[in-house]
Amino acid sequence: MELIATIDQNEYQLKVEQLGDHRFRVNINGVDHEVDCMEVMEDLYSMIHHERSYDVHVHHGKKGHIETHFYDDSFHVEVVDPMQKILDQAMGGGGKGPAALEAAMPGLVQRILVKEGDEVAMDQGLLVLVAMKMENELGSPKAGVVKEIRVKEGDNVESGAVLITIE
Amino acid sequence: MELIATIDQNEYQLKVEQLGDHRFRVNINGVDHEVDCMEVMEDLYSMIHHERSYDVHVHHGKKGHIETHFYDDSFHVEVVDPMQKILDQAMGGGGKGPAALEAAMPGLVQRILVKEGDEVAMDQGLLVLVAMKMENELGSPKAGVVKEIRVKEGDNVESGAVLITIE
Amino acid sequence: MFKKVLIANRGEIAIRVIRCLREHGIQSVAVYSDPDRDSLAVRYAHQAVHLPGNTSAETYMDIEKVLDAAKRTGCEAIHPGYGFLSEKAEFSQACRDAGIAFIGPHPESISSMGDKTTARELMIKAGVPVTPGFQNENGDRREALQAAQEMGFPVMIKASAGGGGKGMRRVDRAEDFLSNYDMAASEAKSAFGDDRIYIEKFIQNPRHIEVQIACDKHGNAIHLAERECSVQRRHQKVVEEAPSPAVTPEMRAKIGEIAIQAALAVNYDSVGTIEFLMDKDNNFFFMEMNTRLQVEHPVTEWITGVDLVRLQLQIAAGEKLPFSQDDITITGHSVECRVYAEDPEKNFMPSPGKITSLLTPSGLGVRDDSGVYPGYEVPIYYDPMISKLTTWGRDREEAILRMSRALGEYRVGGIKTNLWFHRALMQHPAWLAADLDTAFIERHPELLHKGLDEGHIEPALIAAAIKHYKTEARRGAAGPDEQTQNSSQWKAGARLAVMRYRSL
Amino acid sequence: MFKKVLIANRGEIAIRVIRCLREHGIQSVAVYSDPDRDSLAVRYAHQAVHLPGNTSAETYMDIEKVLDAAKRTGCEAIHPGYGFLSEKAEFSQACRDAGIAFIGPHPESISSMGDKTTARELMIKAGVPVTPGFQNENGDRREALQAAQEMGFPVMIKASAGGGGKGMRRVDRAEDFLSNYDMAASEAKSAFGDDRIYIEKFIQNPRHIEVQIACDKHGNAIHLAERECSVQRRHQKVVEEAPSPAVTPEMRAKIGEIAIQAALAVNYDSVGTIEFLMDKDNNFFFMEMNTRLQVEHPVTEWITGVDLVRLQLQIAAGEKLPFSQDDITITGHSVECRVYAEDPEKNFMPSPGKITSLLTPSGLGVRDDSGVYPGYEVPIYYDPMISKLTTWGRDREEAILRMSRALGEYRVGGIKTNLWFHRALMQHPAWLAADLDTAFIERHPELLHKGLDEGHIEPALIAAAIKHYKTEARRGAAGPDEQTQNSSQWKAGARLAVMRYRSL
């Protein structure tokens, strides 16, 4: 399997092969690394590579992002299939087209700060969501015009719900 | 489901019904008990019964035996289906017929203390098994004659292996 | 001593109290809301009474329901923990009226200290130094603005009834005052059922130093040294330690004496905390008194060997303090890291969900006060703190090194936590040098960036590649319904989310 | 201080050492046998070197392989833990020859103390009281029997090279002597590679009291008070405490001084333990010296605040003792329960297998030194101890109450453990009264019977009924291949077993 990974804007070409029950060969930028990688608990890998031992917790973040937590260090790795990468580039990246403000966690809509038709700046507060005893002011994903407000004050919303769309 | 349970030689008639996701009705000797019983981890039940709370770990022992571990107390409960009980009684119980000495854990046969044809008493040492750094002398399951010795000194045996039969 | 006690709380503090009750042969009664049916508190208590509902207001803050549960189960006393009803004078009063012991101070001391104006006046009278401030009794926003302008910006807006950072905001400019005032009042209303606001002069770069005191019902009072809680995020403590590296034995004796005076001024009769701000010239200003057990009490327990919850029980049962001031000696140093289900990279946004795997550290000098277990779902209705990790060492250095080690062992799967932030903090030169103030995190934004050691880039790439490989392999094997990568129900819906999050 | 250290051990003690190394910025190198690939020690160490094989002899006790791993990874020192190579003088010597620091005493002191005859003679010379005994140097069984008859039965048969109860047997009658001698010699051979036997007069109903000492390479020596380890099963300690409830401050000063004399007699230069038997008239008899860290060292760490592993490292690195005798003060009381994968109802028979779920206790005054995690399979090749649970309290009563509480929270799924035995013990009147001797468990067989509280019969029946119901429901849903009730591979085969087990 071939992949492109990014850490801190540095891009790496990866190739993964499984050699045995817990043996893998990972090629990084043309260099092969054979590792002994046991999944000792869900998403917790005990990795031995050239007699160096890493107890690494791998955690899926947003799409394609993998957090790797070591004993004393943590990294964000963005992993994509090369095909996906080409597709994304063909789409011209983000920034254009409509955008939706979604709830990343369930909560109560306490106040709506805009009306449909309002012009808003990037990051301008659109809505206050109460979740886990904190008020979270949600900012606009882009500059534009408020197209549709799909919730009203007092609504309980589920995670992932589209709250407001911006055009 | 109807069951017969035994604790310390006292027998209880039980009936179990599931009422909901984590609601059960258990009838003990004719008296109904409605309990809220959530399996919070594998084999770990959080049970609420008349507002009394029990954090009870249930653990399968040998066939039909269930160990129940509470915060500050533990019990052995033997549970059988009534049909099984009748069957067992019809068989006339244990004590007669041939019996096998089996290994309850894997280990190394260090010494065999008897020969085929030997007369042995109940609990007389038949064999020394080394497991987990301890020597364990295994006693005869019944009085009788050594019929067959199926292992030799130096053998590594798996758990459940029949080592010696007694008739 | 009491035979049966109800705990009017949830989470790790309910566990803390139940543990103490268990140790002393006292029956414990937990109360639980709908989402807390599977909580550790329910599991560890002798009895568990259901309070139907999800929100705090419907459950843990409903005085009538809580008292009713205590009466029905025959409890002689109620422990309020922290938060919820712990600093409600009317609850202490209602317990008194019902003939149930409140494990906390008498209602008059709570109201005196809970009301910032009264507390201020009492403190000034008792000779305790205070910061300039203004209590907005009538809710007139314009009057509040005027007071703020008089004391000069920056000012702090606080909930009068509050604590724990809720409804608290710093305002630097007059033009931002009113909008912040409204939001604070609204948060105060929903958190405490009381929207009164207190305005206070903001002291630049202060350290947060607080003194633990204990007073019995017989006029005896002692202090148990101070804690420093300068490392805060969102105006809430996130790392605490005892003793404070900035306090000398002479200063300790002095602020200990001031703290005892402050408590005696309200005839205090429980354990409590006097919070001070300390400026760069080592001046102390009384901030407030917390008339309850503090979240961070374990660091004091480490260095004094005193079980503060047991002490609370003894005092509430009418016993005399079992220690005199001379019995209290400080041994070594202790540090606490609050472990939150939150994302430090997104301004510490809460991250509720199911804990898919959990490994907690232990060993010499390590204590973890947790309210969770593997498979537990961190609910969305309450504070996202999942545990308090504390360490002890013979000196500050050993305590910090031990904390680094313990944080390394701490593994939480399924949700985001601030563990990696704490690990970065424990290695930060300014922290190691104890160069602290309450704006520490804002001053050191580098703490919020992952990836310290270049030597880990290769293994990080390898682990991520294998994770991706395994996920794809599983996806291939599973049907389309099972292709969700995250096991939490909350996370599942969030995969496509593009939510933007901004600090308040 | 060293920059990199190899740990020639496994299980909880390897973790204990790695934790200390991590705290002090020292790189750790683990070695691991085939079954230990997934061990916590491998996971927590910076480096991990594979020693192919399953048994101790092939791996952790293979001096050449271990030294080779240390050299290849560039280690400056080796920590041997306890057991395995820790008391092999030739290993200490081999380290010295290889220019690697052995974190333990010099080889001469190990051989002097490891040989019971030499040790006895040295102790008699140093004025330390000893028990009558006989070293059977030439392996003549008849000569050993004659010596036993001369000192009078009962006698103890011990492995000369031994420790930890292995190859140890009490013999009450002359006619049982030879068969026991043979079995002990054979166990000694396989455990220590040395079948020499030592015969000792058996002291009736003694208490086991041991003194922790520490000596540096500069002639300084201190003691860190005593531990009592009278509660034993199969001649192995199972519960320990510090200080001993039977030792007064005067006795402590006296035996502390004797212990220091004993250590100085062999120019000891590490931490170590002098074990005594104490008879009913408070007479002490030197039993042996353990020239290594003890399993039960955490109880001493709790009451003194001293990190004994750190102290070992400092001494091995040539540093002077950082404390004088006057710096060592005893605060409170500590108790340790060894948690074993074993079945107390079947004479503590080991119960290896997969740990399907795990909840470990924590909170004030609780420390768990564990070598396992959920999902880990306790291997069949090594000692079945899975953790050491220790508690601290201001006095013995508080430490014991806290232990009861902690044991209640401790949950291990999938294998049998002795946790319920410890719970029963902690409530036993004779234990609470500290009426102890090394035959405590034999004297109190009621400890091995479950079911203390009649009030729990009903919930036990309910839980068992629901468990049976759920198992049958799952069995109905699953195919015939999946009907195994136990998830462990070892357990699966044991369902039909009728194995009879008898004590040796």
Side-chain angles (χ1 to χ4, degrees):
Chain A
M1 180 183 283
E2 296 195 20
L3 301 168
I4 297 167
T6 312
I7 294 181
D8 266 345
Q9 284 149 25
N10 295 314
E11 209 172 270
Y12 304 86
Q13 309 290 325
L14 305 181
K15 218 160 78 185
V16 197
E17 268 175 283
Q18 186 156 9
L19 306 177
D21 190 24
H22 49 93
R23 297 208 60 85
F24 293 84
R25 184 185 294 129
V26 180
N27 183 297
I28 303 176
N29 290 344
V31 181
D32 269 343
H33 301 271
E34 278 198 26
V35 294
D36 174 354
C37 177
M38 275 184 97
E39 189 162 0
V40 289
M41 291 171 67
E42 189 181 331
D43 286 349
L44 192 55
Y45 297 169
S46 169
M47 243 168 56
I48 301 179
H49 181 219
H50 293 315
E51 292 189 342
R52 295 211 70 84
S53 177
Y54 304 95
D55 193 42
V56 51
H57 193 143
V58 288
H59 189 125
H60 263 294
K62 57 181 174 177
K63 198 171 183 335
H65 285 249
I66 295 174
E67 286 179 50
T68 60
H69 296 286
F70 293 85
Y71 197 106
D72 47 12
D73 207 357
S74 295
F75 285 87
H76 252 319
V77 188
E78 201 186 333
V79 181
V80 289
D81 289 320
M83 195 54 82
Q84 186 64 43
K85 181 100 182 171
I86 291 161
L87 229 92
D88 285 354
Q89 281 164 347
M91 299 282 285
K96 281 165 192 140
L101 178 73
E102 301 185 6
M105 56 183 162
L108 171 85
V109 177
Q110 195 186 49
R111 281 194 309 283
I112 296 170
L113 309 172
V114 291
K115 298 185 308 293
E116 289 177 4
D118 279 5
E119 245 182 77
V120 292
M122 168 93 169
D123 273 342
Q124 181 182 331
L126 301 182
L127 180 147
V128 178
L129 187 73
V130 178
M132 304 194 84
K133 304 277 101 190
M134 297 294 287
E135 298 197 349
N136 306 288
E137 188 177 298
L138 310 188
S140 182
K142 57 175 283 185
V145 173
V146 176
K147 192 184 170 208
E148 190 187 357
I149 298 177
R150 300 199 184 174
V151 290
K152 58 181 194 304
E153 293 183 2
D155 278 3
N156 275 301
V157 294
E158 285 299 297
S159 176
V162 173
L163 308 172
I164 292 175
T165 58
I166 307 291
E167 224 174 34
Chain B
M1 180 184 286
E2 296 195 19
L3 301 168
I4 297 169
T6 311
I7 294 180
D8 267 344
Q9 283 146 28
N10 294 313
E11 209 172 274
Y12 304 86
Q13 310 290 325
L14 305 181
K15 220 159 81 185
V16 197
E17 272 174 280
Q18 186 157 8
L19 306 177
D21 190 24
H22 49 93
R23 296 209 61 84
F24 293 84
R25 185 186 293 130
V26 179
N27 182 297
I28 304 176
N29 291 343
V31 182
D32 269 343
H33 301 272
E34 279 199 21
V35 295
D36 175 352
C37 178
M38 277 184 95
E39 190 164 359
V40 288
M41 292 171 66
E42 187 181 333
D43 287 347
L44 193 55
Y45 297 169
S46 169
M47 243 169 55
I48 300 179
H49 179 219
H50 292 315
E51 292 189 343
R52 296 210 69 85
S53 177
Y54 305 95
D55 193 41
V56 51
H57 192 144
V58 288
H59 189 125
H60 263 292
K62 56 182 174 179
K63 197 172 185 330
H65 285 249
I66 295 174
E67 285 180 52
T68 59
H69 295 285
F70 293 86
Y71 198 105
D72 48 11
D73 208 356
S74 294
F75 286 86
H76 253 319
V77 188
E78 201 187 333
V79 181
V80 290
D81 288 320
M83 196 56 80
Q84 188 63 41
K85 181 98 181 171
I86 290 162
L87 229 89
D88 285 353
Q89 281 162 349
M91 299 281 284
K96 282 166 193 141
L101 178 75
E102 300 185 5
M105 56 184 163
L108 170 85
V109 178
Q110 194 186 49
R111 280 194 310 285
I112 296 169
L113 310 172
V114 291
K115 301 186 306 293
E116 289 178 6
D118 279 4
E119 245 181 76
V120 291
M122 168 95 171
D123 272 345
Q124 184 184 329
L126 301 182
L127 180 149
V128 179
L129 188 75
V130 179
M132 302 191 90
K133 303 278 103 187
M134 296 295 285
E135 297 198 348
N136 305 288
E137 187 178 298
L138 309 188
S140 180
K142 58 175 285 188
V145 173
V146 176
K147 194 184 167 206
E148 190 188 357
I149 297 177
R150 301 199 182 173
V151 290
K152 57 180 194 302
E153 293 183 0
D155 277 5
N156 274 300
V157 295
E158 284 299 297
S159 176
V162 173
L163 309 172
I164 293 176
T165 59
I166 306 291
E167 225 175 31
Chain C
M1 185 41 71
F2 309 116
K3 290 194 180 58
K4 197 188 263 193
V5 171
L6 183 138
I7 305 97
N9 216 301
R10 64 176 303 284
E12 68 84 19
I13 194 61
I15 303 297
R16 171 69 186 92
V17 176
I18 293 172
R19 282 176 164 155
C20 185
L21 297 173
R22 283 267 181 190
E23 287 173 7
H24 299 289
I26 302 167
Q27 295 272 310
S28 49
V29 180
V31 291
Y32 64 97
S33 65
D34 293 350
D36 281 341
R37 166 62 187 90
D38 62 350
S39 69
L40 262 189
V42 167
R43 294 174 46 193
Y44 286 176
H46 289 88
Q47 289 187 249
V49 178
H50 184 206
L51 305 182
N54 289 327
T55 64
S56 309
E58 295 169 281
T59 56
Y60 303 106
M61 290 192 66
D62 186 320
I63 292 179
E64 210 172 310
K65 279 188 196 168
V66 169
L67 269 182
D68 196 54
K71 286 181 207 156
R72 196 171 66 243
T73 51
C75 287
E76 300 165 77
I78 297 180
H79 195 298
Y82 51 73
F84 297 128
L85 297 175
S86 63
E87 291 185 288
K88 286 237 167 273
E90 56 268 46
F91 183 57
S92 176
Q93 182 65 49
C95 289
R96 182 195 274 174
D97 296 343
I100 291 174
F102 176 74
I103 301 172
H106 60 82
E108 292 77 13
S109 60
I110 302 178
S111 23
S112 303
M113 282 300 189
D115 186 273
K116 294 210 166 37
T117 317
T118 314
R120 258 176 79 79
E121 283 162 9
L122 276 167
M123 290 307 102
I124 292 167
K125 223 180 282 174
V128 175
V130 300
T131 33
F134 171 76
Q135 170 63 42
N136 192 19
E137 226 16 277
N138 58 16
D140 182 331
R141 306 151 79 232
R142 292 287 151 194
E143 206 172 292
L145 176 58
Q146 197 188 327
Q149 279 167 321
E150 275 164 21
M151 63 184 81
F153 285 92
V155 299
M156 286 299 285
I157 300 181
K158 300 175 167 186
S160 297
K166 289 187 185 83
M168 197 183 290
R169 275 174 176 73
R170 172 184 169 167
V171 182
D172 290 335
R173 304 179 308 172
E175 49 268 48
D176 297 335
F177 184 84
L178 290 178
S179 64
N180 276 285
Y181 183 99
D182 292 342
M183 223 178 261
S186 145
E187 265 186 59
K189 180 76 182 174
S190 75
F192 311 107
D194 179 346
D195 64 357
R196 284 173 311 138
I197 288 295
Y198 183 77
I199 315 296
E200 195 174 66
K201 170 77 181 153
F202 182 77
I203 293 173
Q204 302 268 13
N205 303 331
R207 300 176 90 110
H208 177 119
I209 310 275
E210 58 186 33
V211 178
Q212 177 70 55
I213 57 100
C215 310
D216 64 20
K217 294 179 191 297
H218 309 277
N220 304 304
I222 57 170
H223 74 85
L224 293 101
E226 79 288 348
R227 296 181 285 261
E228 174 154 5
C229 318
S230 296
V231 181
Q232 307 187 347
R233 61 110 183 74
R234 289 179 153 214
H235 302 300
Q236 248 190 332
K237 301 162 188 169
V238 63
V239 173
E240 299 99 340
E241 63 187 307
S244 165
V247 171
T248 63
E250 294 69 38
M251 287 158 75
R252 178 167 306 123
K254 193 180 138 217
I255 58 167
E257 200 42 55
I258 292 175
I260 288 174
Q261 289 312 316
L264 290 179
V266 292
N267 298 310
Y268 200 70
D269 63 342
S270 186
V271 313
T273 299
I274 316 287
E275 295 191 333
F276 297 96
L277 290 181
M278 177 179 148
D279 72 12
K280 273 174 281 189
D281 305 317
N282 296 349
N283 297 310
F284 285 87
F285 299 97
F286 171 83
M287 200 169 18
E288 61 178 7
M289 177 170 191
N290 287 313
T291 56
R292 53 166 167 89
L293 194 67
Q294 298 274 86
V295 174
E296 59 273 23
H297 73 275
V299 293
T300 299
E301 295 184 323
W302 268 121
I303 62 163
T304 62
V306 173
D307 179 341
L308 286 170
V309 176
R310 185 179 183 188
L311 194 57
Q312 276 189 307
L313 291 169
Q314 290 170 322
I315 294 170
E319 295 177 23
K320 286 189 180 171
L321 286 183
F323 320 105
S324 71
Q325 190 66 57
D326 289 344
D327 295 328
I328 305 299
T329 52
I330 296 178
T331 310
H333 197 96
S334 179
V335 174
E336 167 172 293
C337 290
R338 299 190 187 189
V339 182
Y340 282 97
E342 67 180 19
D343 186 353
E345 286 186 307
K346 292 196 177 150
N347 195 34
F348 304 98
M349 179 169 69
S351 169
K354 185 170 179 158
I355 294 173
T356 53
S357 59
L358 182 66
L359 281 178
T360 53
S362 186
L364 175 58
V366 175
R367 167 180 174 187
D368 184 45
D369 281 273
S370 171
V372 304
Y373 58 87
Y376 176 78
E377 178 131 354
V378 180
I380 61 163
Y381 298 98
Y382 317 106
D383 188 270
M385 189 171 76
I386 58 175
S387 108
K388 303 177 318 200
L389 181 61
T390 51
T391 58
W392 177 89
R394 285 183 83 90
D395 49 32
R396 186 172 190 262
E397 187 195 3
E398 192 176 75
I400 291 174
L401 291 170
R402 197 157 279 156
M403 179 60 82
S404 278
R405 185 272 287 176
L407 289 164
E409 295 174 13
Y410 214 134
R411 302 293 178 147
V412 183
I415 56 171
K416 296 198 178 197
T417 70
N418 63 347
L419 284 166
W420 64 268
F421 163 79
H422 283 304
R423 289 207 302 269
L425 176 65
M426 289 299 133
Q427 298 166 42
H428 196 281
W431 159 255
L432 294 174
D435 176 16
L436 306 174
D437 65 69
T438 55
F440 185 87
I441 295 177
E442 287 89 333
R443 282 202 287 121
H444 298 290
E446 66 276 17
L447 287 167
L448 304 177
H449 188 73
K450 290 183 183 172
L452 301 170
D453 178 358
E454 295 241 322
H456 276 148
I457 289 179
E458 228 170 56
L461 288 167
I462 293 172
I466 294 174
K467 169 67 180 168
H468 188 91
Y469 175 91
K470 287 192 169 199
T471 304
E472 292 300 315
R474 259 172 228 160
R475 191 191 296 261
D481 286 353
E482 296 172 51
Q483 293 193 1
T484 303
Q485 289 168 10
N486 296 295
S487 43
S488 159
Q489 52 166 307
W490 307 122
K491 292 286 178 60
R495 272 181 302 151
L496 302 168
V498 294
M499 168 174 163
R500 301 297 301 238
Y501 181 79
R502 213 179 62 183
S503 162
L504 294 178
Chain D
M1 184 45 69
F2 309 116
K3 290 195 179 58
K4 198 189 264 196
V5 171
L6 182 137
I7 305 97
N9 215 303
R10 63 177 301 283
E12 67 84 20
I13 194 62
I15 303 299
R16 171 69 187 90
V17 176
I18 293 171
R19 281 175 167 158
C20 185
L21 297 173
R22 283 268 181 189
E23 287 172 8
H24 299 289
I26 301 167
Q27 295 273 312
S28 50
V29 180
V31 290
Y32 63 100
S33 66
D34 292 351
D36 281 342
R37 166 62 186 90
D38 62 349
S39 70
L40 262 188
V42 168
R43 294 173 46 194
Y44 286 177
H46 289 88
Q47 290 188 251
V49 178
H50 184 204
L51 306 182
N54 289 324
T55 64
S56 309
E58 294 170 281
T59 56
Y60 303 106
M61 291 191 65
D62 187 321
I63 292 180
E64 210 173 310
K65 279 189 195 165
V66 169
L67 269 183
D68 195 56
K71 286 179 209 158
R72 196 172 65 242
T73 51
C75 287
E76 301 166 75
I78 297 181
H79 195 298
Y82 51 73
F84 297 128
L85 297 174
S86 63
E87 291 183 290
K88 289 236 165 273
E90 57 268 46
F91 183 57
S92 177
Q93 182 65 49
C95 288
R96 184 193 276 173
D97 295 344
I100 291 174
F102 176 73
I103 300 171
H106 59 82
E108 293 76 14
S109 61
I110 302 178
S111 24
S112 303
M113 282 301 190
D115 185 89
K116 293 208 166 40
T117 318
T118 316
R120 256 175 80 79
E121 284 161 9
L122 277 167
M123 290 307 102
I124 291 167
K125 224 180 283 175
V128 175
V130 299
T131 33
F134 170 78
Q135 171 64 40
N136 191 19
E137 224 19 275
N138 58 17
D140 182 332
R141 306 153 80 231
R142 292 289 151 189
E143 206 174 291
L145 174 58
Q146 196 189 328
Q149 278 166 322
E150 274 164 21
M151 64 183 77
F153 286 93
V155 300
M156 286 300 285
I157 299 181
K158 302 175 166 184
S160 296
K166 285 186 188 86
M168 198 183 288
R169 276 176 177 73
R170 171 186 171 168
V171 184
D172 289 335
R173 302 177 311 170
E175 52 267 48
D176 297 337
F177 183 83
L178 290 178
S179 63
N180 276 284
Y181 182 99
D182 292 343
M183 219 177 262
S186 144
E187 266 186 57
K189 180 77 182 172
S190 76
F192 310 110
D194 180 346
D195 63 357
R196 285 174 311 138
I197 287 296
Y198 182 76
I199 315 295
E200 196 174 64
K201 170 77 184 152
F202 182 77
I203 294 173
Q204 302 269 10
N205 303 330
R207 301 177 88 111
H208 177 120
I209 310 276
E210 58 184 35
V211 178
Q212 176 72 54
I213 57 100
C215 310
D216 64 21
K217 295 179 190 297
H218 309 276
N220 303 304
I222 56 169
H223 73 87
L224 295 102
E226 79 289 349
R227 297 180 285 262
E228 174 156 2
C229 318
S230 296
V231 181
Q232 307 188 349
R233 61 113 182 76
R234 291 178 150 214
H235 302 301
Q236 247 192 332
K237 301 163 188 170
V238 61
V239 173
E240 299 99 340
E241 61 187 308
S244 164
V247 172
T248 62
E250 293 72 35
M251 288 157 72
R252 178 167 307 124
K254 195 181 136 212
I255 59 170
E257 200 41 55
I258 292 176
I260 289 173
Q261 288 314 314
L264 291 180
V266 292
N267 298 312
Y268 200 72
D269 62 342
S270 185
V271 313
T273 299
I274 317 288
E275 295 192 331
F276 297 97
L277 290 181
M278 176 179 151
D279 71 12
K280 274 176 280 190
D281 304 317
N282 295 349
N283 296 310
F284 285 86
F285 299 96
F286 171 84
M287 200 167 22
E288 60 178 11
M289 178 169 188
N290 288 312
T291 55
R292 55 170 165 85
L293 194 67
Q294 299 274 86
V295 174
E296 58 271 22
H297 73 275
V299 292
T300 299
E301 295 184 323
W302 268 121
I303 63 164
T304 62
V306 172
D307 180 340
L308 286 170
V309 176
R310 185 178 183 189
L311 193 57
Q312 276 189 307
L313 293 169
Q314 290 170 322
I315 293 170
E319 296 178 21
K320 286 190 181 173
L321 285 182
F323 320 106
S324 70
Q325 190 64 57
D326 289 344
D327 294 329
I328 304 301
T329 52
I330 296 179
T331 310
H333 197 96
S334 179
V335 174
E336 166 172 294
C337 290
R338 299 190 187 188
V339 182
Y340 282 98
E342 68 181 17
D343 187 352
E345 286 186 306
K346 292 193 179 154
N347 195 33
F348 304 98
M349 180 168 73
S351 170
K354 186 171 179 157
I355 294 173
T356 52
S357 59
L358 182 66
L359 282 177
T360 53
S362 186
L364 174 58
V366 175
R367 167 179 174 187
D368 185 45
D369 280 273
S370 173
V372 303
Y373 58 86
Y376 177 75
E377 178 134 352
V378 179
I380 61 162
Y381 298 97
Y382 317 106
D383 188 89
M385 190 171 76
I386 58 176
S387 106
K388 303 176 319 200
L389 181 62
T390 51
T391 59
W392 176 89
R394 285 183 84 88
D395 49 33
R396 187 172 190 261
E397 187 195 3
E398 192 175 76
I400 291 175
L401 291 168
R402 198 157 279 157
M403 180 59 81
S404 277
R405 185 273 287 176
L407 288 164
E409 294 174 12
Y410 214 134
R411 303 292 179 148
V412 183
I415 56 170
K416 295 198 180 200
T417 69
N418 62 348
L419 284 165
W420 63 269
F421 162 79
H422 283 304
R423 289 207 303 269
L425 176 66
M426 289 300 132
Q427 298 168 43
H428 195 282
W431 160 256
L432 295 174
D435 177 14
L436 305 174
D437 65 69
T438 55
F440 185 85
I441 294 178
E442 287 90 331
R443 283 201 289 117
H444 298 291
E446 66 276 15
L447 286 168
L448 303 177
H449 188 75
K450 291 182 181 171
L452 301 169
D453 178 358
E454 296 241 321
H456 276 147
I457 289 180
E458 228 170 55
L461 288 167
I462 293 171
I466 294 172
K467 170 67 180 165
H468 188 91
Y469 175 91
K470 287 193 169 197
T471 305
E472 292 298 315
R474 259 173 229 161
R475 191 191 296 263
D481 286 352
E482 294 173 52
Q483 292 192 3
T484 303
Q485 288 166 11
N486 297 296
S487 42
S488 159
Q489 52 166 309
W490 307 120
K491 292 288 178 60
R495 270 182 302 150
L496 302 167
V498 294
M499 167 175 163
R500 300 297 302 238
Y501 181 80
R502 213 179 62 181
S503 163
L504 296 175

